[in-house]
């Protein structure tokens, strides 16, 4: 095990050596993710493991937890949440190899070198909620919902009087 996440690795050598990496780094190091957040505080804890399964499929297993600040789209206030990833990426050299991956694997196209921090960041970006909402923020819109549910008095039809004249 290594506590340091290297800048770039030869993915196929990592698979052969069954290497793993464990550690953490600040969210602030992930520029693309940081641009989607309400702040850059928080940490990313990771455990990455290269290997081959019983079928001989090369994989990179990721267990990642990141504490991030998001902007609630209901209240427009920041809130802290945890993004959690537990997935196995099947390493492939060609896009056509994706169809040979067993169920439960996501494909990761790799030629030789792989930037592990980029893989972690890509997966965290995919884990972001499409519309972030702080748990419990439903109460913030309750007064608006009750107003919207009240029946609105319908104005009288403008030609209602004509109908009365016609039948008199």
């Amino acid at each position: 095990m290594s506590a340091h996440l290297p800048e770039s690795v030869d993915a196929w050598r990592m698979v052969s050596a069954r290497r793993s990496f464990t550690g953490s780094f600040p969210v602030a190091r992930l520029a693309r993710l940081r641009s989607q957040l309400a702040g850059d505080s928080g940490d990313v804890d990771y455990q990455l493991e290269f290997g081959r399964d019983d079928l001989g499929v090369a994989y990179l297993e990721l267990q990642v937890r990141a504490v991030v600040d998001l902007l609630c789209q209901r209240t427009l206030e920041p809130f802290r949440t945890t993004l959690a990833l537990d997935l196995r990426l099947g390493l492939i050299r060609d896009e056509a190899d994706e169809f040979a991956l067993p169920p439960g694997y996501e494909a990761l196209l790799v030629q030789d070198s792989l930037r592990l921090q980029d893989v972690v960041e890509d997966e965290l970006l995919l884990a972001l909620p499409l519309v972030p909402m702080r748990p419990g923020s439903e109460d913030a819109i309750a007064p608006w919902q009750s107003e919207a549910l009240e029946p609105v008095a319908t104005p009288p039809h403008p030609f209602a009087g004509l109908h009365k004249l016609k039948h008199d």
Side-chain angles (χ1 to χ4, degrees):
M1 291 251 191
S2 172
H4 172 69
L5 191 63
E7 177 72 22
S8 180
V9 297
D10 181 326
W12 304 106
R13 281 191 179 160
M14 296 291 111
V15 168
S16 296
R18 298 191 54 84
R19 289 290 309 268
S20 61
F21 303 93
T22 303
S24 67
F25 57 86
V27 168
R29 283 183 35 190
L30 304 175
R32 292 178 296 140
L33 178 65
R34 194 176 62 229
S35 72
Q36 302 298 309
L37 303 176
D40 63 358
S41 64
D43 289 315
V44 177
D45 299 319
Y46 62 88
Q47 183 174 346
L48 310 177
E49 181 182 322
F50 287 90
R52 286 195 185 274
D53 67 9
D54 295 338
L55 300 173
V57 176
Y59 67 81
L60 169 58
E61 193 167 271
L62 289 93
Q63 293 180 330
V64 180
R65 303 285 178 270
V67 177
V68 296
D69 295 320
L70 298 176
L71 186 64
C72 176
Q73 296 303 297
R74 278 192 176 133
T75 63
L76 296 179
E77 296 172 348
F79 70 99
R80 183 157 282 196
T81 191
T82 301
L83 302 175
L85 305 172
D86 287 309
L87 55 113
R88 188 174 271 194
L89 303 175
L91 304 180
I92 58 174
R93 291 184 191 268
D94 187 79
E95 288 180 17
D97 296 337
E98 180 177 357
F99 301 106
L101 290 175
Y105 282 67
E106 292 184 33
L108 179 61
L109 185 62
V110 177
Q111 295 307 317
D112 291 313
S113 66
L114 187 61
R115 291 179 42 89
L116 295 176
Q117 184 172 302
D118 289 349
V119 173
V120 169
E121 184 174 26
D122 290 345
E123 295 301 329
L124 286 171
L125 283 165
L126 291 171
L128 285 173
L130 190 57
V131 180
M133 286 184 258
R134 179 182 49 80
S137 64
E138 299 83 14
D139 297 340
I141 61 167
W144 301 332
Q145 285 180 335
S146 64
E147 289 174 13
L149 295 177
E150 291 177 9
V152 177
T154 55
H157 192 275
F159 299 109
L162 291 177
H163 179 68
K164 184 180 177 190
L165 287 176
K166 182 178 177 184
H167 289 16
D168 281 344

